Amino acid sequence: MSRFLLTLVILISFRGSYSAEGKGGMPQLNPESFSSQLFWLLIFFTFLFFIINSIFIPKIKKIRNRRDETIDKLLSESKSINQSMENIIQKINNEMSKEKENSNIQINKAINENKAILDKKISSLDVEYEKKREVVIKDLTISKTKIEKKIPEIVIALSDQIFEKILGEKSKSSLDDFEKFQKDPK
Amino acid sequence: MASPLSQFEIKTIVPIEVFGYDISFTNSSLAMLATVLLIILFLSIGLKNSSIIPSKSQTLVELSYEFIAGMIGDNIGKEGMKYLSFIFSLFMFILLGNLLGMLPYSFTWTSHIIVTFAISFFIFILVTFIAIFKHGLFKFLGFFAPSGVPKAMLILLVPIEVISYLSRPVSLSVRLFANMMAGHTLLKVIGGFVFVLGANSFIIGGALPVAFLIALTGLEIVIAFLQAYVFAILTCLYINDAIHLH
């Protein structure tokens, strides 16, 4: 608003100087130039409109359509690539889980087999151990009886020696005496 | 010193007279021709090697196209797209005319009421014809009687509506013309201050109006764009009114 007021003031203040020069105010209000301005406006604007309407706007529209089409094409292409990629990933995952299952089965199988072999070996070792144990025990009992049989003889010999040393006379005990002694110690 | 209004004087370059009408090629016509050539140059440089991936100049052209297309889309809708060429040419013509006028020693043809009035009167006629062809004369006349208003009020409202409709070309043309003329006159007056103050105060006094002048020039460039925008958007609104009578 202040702009217009300022313009108004300026216009009024310069009106005096203009009328002094005999020109009569704003050149915009001088109808002498109207016909020429209207004519050239018509010519130039019509020319501009037709050239823009027939050349430039279709060109801009064409390039934008082409861009949109390309973008759509690339988008759909990338979508399909994405889809196939997802398919591949799915496939890989499927195969992986399959292989995992397979390997689990194999591992379990191997573990079971090993266990069976181990058990077999353990039982065979047990058997062998038992056998060896029996042999050893047998040997031991044989040796024991042998030793047990020898003990009275040794005891008799020793007692005879002790007797000789103490009494100075020879004594000759027999095994029968020992057995007698064993039955009746008195 | 020359009057601030002398910059608006029409000076004949090539005198032409047809059937008693003076259609001389003047400085105004020259400015208009320069405007048209600049627009064509701008568009043809931008679209010279147009490709899907735009160059800098092509981006500018597409930006201006998108600006107008967006304006039409927002204000009229899809039906308005057939007026795109017209509004685009109108916007570019007025914008470049305004901006060209900012160059020193050039001529601002948009500062002449007869030119702006001719354009806005043409828009007024166009809009009226669109409304009549699209909706018929009767429905068009119904535009001046808002629905849902008591009949007694219509006596008051119809003349107001008619006056407001008829004043559209006047307001549209005066807005552009007055803005341009006021701005250029102001620049010229401040320019005069630079000379007068500088001469009376050993040049130092001229610094303040020069700073003011620079700021005003920036403002004027903004106004040059703004007025072209306002002109285009009001045209869109009028066309929208004609297409969708409310």
Side-chain angles (χ1 to χ4, degrees), chain A residues 3-4 6-7 10-11 14 17-18 21 23 25-29 32-42 44-45 47-53 55-57 59-61 63-64 66-67 70-71, chain B residues 3-6 8-10 22-25 28-29 32-33 39-40 43 47 50-52 54 58 61-62 65-66 84-86 89 93 111-112 114-115 118 177-179 181-183 185-186 220 223:
Chain A
R3 280 171 67 86
F4 290 104
L6 187 62
T7 321
I10 291 164
L11 288 182
F14 282 98
S17 62
Y18 253 79
E21 287 165 29
K23 282 187 178 173
M26 288 163 66
Q28 282 93 336
L29 301 179
E32 275 172 31
S33 64
F34 283 5
S35 55
S36 111
Q37 288 200 67
L38 287 178
F39 174 76
W40 290 108
L41 172 70
L42 184 74
F44 288 138
F45 187 70
F47 172 69
L48 181 71
F49 172 71
F50 278 109
I51 209 163
I52 281 180
N53 190 37
I55 298 175
F56 293 118
I57 292 285
K59 223 172 173 179
I60 297 174
K61 274 185 180 162
I63 193 83
R64 289 172 70 87
R66 228 171 69 200
R67 180 178 303 139
T70 315
I71 288 172
Chain B
S3 150
L5 294 180
S6 64
F8 304 117
E9 261 170 43
I10 304 282
D22 173 36
I23 51 163
S24 312
F25 193 81
S28 164
S29 324
M32 260 186 226
L33 179 65
I39 294 168
I40 292 171
L43 292 176
L47 298 172
S50 54
S51 66
I52 294 169
Q58 196 189 331
V61 171
E62 285 195 32
Y65 170 87
E66 238 164 78
L84 188 125
S85 298
F86 175 66
S89 339
F93 194 48
S111 67
H112 272 255
I114 185 67
V115 176
F177 143 75
N179 265 290
M181 197 189 109
T185 312
L186 196 63
E220 280 309 313
I223 287 173

Side-chain angles (χ1 to χ4, degrees), chain A residues 42-98:
Chain A
L42 184 74
I43 298 280
F44 288 138
F45 187 70
T46 314
F47 172 69
L48 181 71
F49 172 71
F50 278 109
I51 209 163
I52 281 180
N53 190 37
S54 55
I55 298 175
F56 293 118
I57 292 285
K59 223 172 173 179
I60 297 174
K61 274 185 180 162
K62 203 174 122 195
I63 193 83
R64 289 172 70 87
N65 278 343
R66 228 171 69 200
R67 180 178 303 139
D68 286 348
E69 273 167 20
T70 315
I71 288 172
D72 281 347
K73 209 175 107 192
L74 289 178
L75 258 180
S76 61
E77 231 167 71
S78 66
K79 259 182 197 164
S80 69
I81 288 171
N82 208 7
Q83 188 61 45
S84 64
M85 216 169 75
E86 262 170 27
N87 284 347
I88 288 169
I89 288 172
Q90 186 69 35
K91 224 174 172 181
I92 288 172
N93 278 345
N94 279 348
E95 248 160 56
M96 284 256 284
S97 58
K98 227 183 204 171

Side-chain angles (χ1 to χ4, degrees), chain B residues 1-241:
Chain B
M1 201 177 70
S3 150
L5 294 180
S6 64
Q7 59 176 316
F8 304 117
E9 261 170 43
I10 304 282
K11 286 168 194 141
T12 305
I13 296 171
V14 184
I16 306 167
E17 205 178 306
V18 176
F19 301 123
Y21 290 104
D22 173 36
I23 51 163
S24 312
F25 193 81
T26 60
N27 51 355
S28 164
S29 324
L30 186 66
M32 260 186 226
L33 179 65
T35 307
V36 171
L37 290 181
L38 261 178
I39 294 168
I40 292 171
L41 192 73
F42 167 68
L43 292 176
S44 42
I45 286 176
L47 298 172
K48 196 180 169 192
N49 295 315
S50 54
S51 66
I52 294 169
I53 298 154
S55 60
K56 278 177 193 167
S57 49
Q58 196 189 331
T59 311
L60 260 179
V61 171
E62 285 195 32
L63 208 68
S64 51
Y65 170 87
E66 238 164 78
F67 181 67
I68 299 299
M71 189 195 287
I72 292 172
D74 289 344
N75 291 301
I76 309 178
K78 267 194 167 173
E79 291 164 85
M81 284 304 164
K82 55 184 162 184
Y83 305 106
L84 188 125
S85 298
F86 175 66
I87 294 171
F88 185 75
S89 339
L90 192 69
F91 175 74
M92 294 305 277
F93 194 48
I94 293 172
L95 176 68
L96 266 288
N98 290 349
L99 288 178
L100 204 67
M102 288 309 297
L103 291 177
Y105 297 106
S106 68
F107 184 86
T108 323
W109 55 261
T110 44
S111 67
H112 272 255
I113 180 80
I114 185 67
V115 176
T116 58
F117 185 75
I119 298 174
S120 35
F121 193 71
F122 173 72
I123 291 165
F124 174 75
I125 298 285
L126 176 82
V127 162
T128 310
F129 268 95
I130 290 170
I132 292 174
F133 275 115
K134 202 154 178 89
H135 302 281
L137 187 62
F138 187 73
K139 224 174 167 188
F140 169 69
L141 290 176
F143 177 68
F144 299 109
S147 56
V149 174
K151 272 183 183 160
M153 284 290 284
L154 285 180
I155 303 164
L156 195 67
L157 271 178
V158 170
I160 291 174
E161 286 284 330
V162 171
I163 289 167
S164 90
Y165 189 75
L166 291 178
S167 63
R168 275 177 179 185
V170 179
S171 72
L172 195 61
S173 57
V174 169
R175 184 179 299 111
L176 178 58
F177 143 75
N179 265 290
M180 284 303 118
M181 197 189 109
H184 284 267
T185 312
L186 196 63
L187 284 181
K188 181 84 186 197
V189 170
I190 304 289
F193 284 171
V194 176
F195 179 74
V196 174
L197 283 177
N200 290 338
S201 64
F202 307 107
I203 302 174
I204 309 153
L208 191 70
V210 163
F212 202 57
L213 199 63
I214 291 167
L216 270 180
T217 308
L219 185 74
E220 280 309 313
I221 290 170
V222 175
I223 287 173
F225 173 79
L226 199 72
Q227 286 308 317
Y229 173 69
V230 166
F231 205 95
I233 207 162
L234 282 174
T235 308
C236 283
L237 288 178
Y238 294 160
I239 292 175
N240 178 47
D241 270 354

